[in-house]
Amino acid sequence: MQRARGDRVERADLLDQVASAWSQLSPADYPFARSMAGQLRAHDDRADFLAGVDLILSGIEVIARP
C-alpha cells in the first residue's frame, strides 16, 4: 500500500486495500482485525467520530456534576 507523495488515493480504494489486507491476516493472531475487515469498507467515519465526541462529552458531564 505504498504511494508516491502527492498521489491522491480515494477513500473507498484505501479502505478496500486495508480490508483486503486485514482479511488475509492470521485469524489466530489477529481475530479482531479479521472480524472487522468486512465492515471496514462500509463504515461511516462521521457517525463514528460523532459517537466518540458524544462519549467524551458525556464523561466530562459526569465528572463535572457537583
Side-chain angles (χ1 to χ4, degrees), residues 3-20:
R3 62 186 178 106
R5 284 182 183 238
D7 287 351
R8 195 164 162 85
V9 175
E10 293 297 318
R11 177 186 179 277
D13 294 337
L14 177 65
L15 290 177
D16 186 54
Q17 290 174 12
V18 173
S20 294

Side-chain angles (χ1 to χ4, degrees), residues 6-60:
D7 287 351
R8 195 164 162 85
V9 175
E10 293 297 318
R11 177 186 179 277
D13 294 337
L14 177 65
L15 290 177
D16 186 54
Q17 290 174 12
V18 173
S20 294
W22 284 8
S23 67
Q24 295 173 22
L25 294 172
S26 163
D29 294 333
Y30 302 96
F32 179 76
R34 285 281 306 248
S35 72
M36 297 306 295
Q39 297 177 34
L40 186 60
R41 289 178 178 93
H43 82 282
D44 184 345
D45 296 330
R46 181 170 165 68
D48 292 342
F49 174 78
L50 292 175
V53 170
D54 285 343
L55 182 64
I56 291 168
L57 292 176
S58 294
I60 292 170

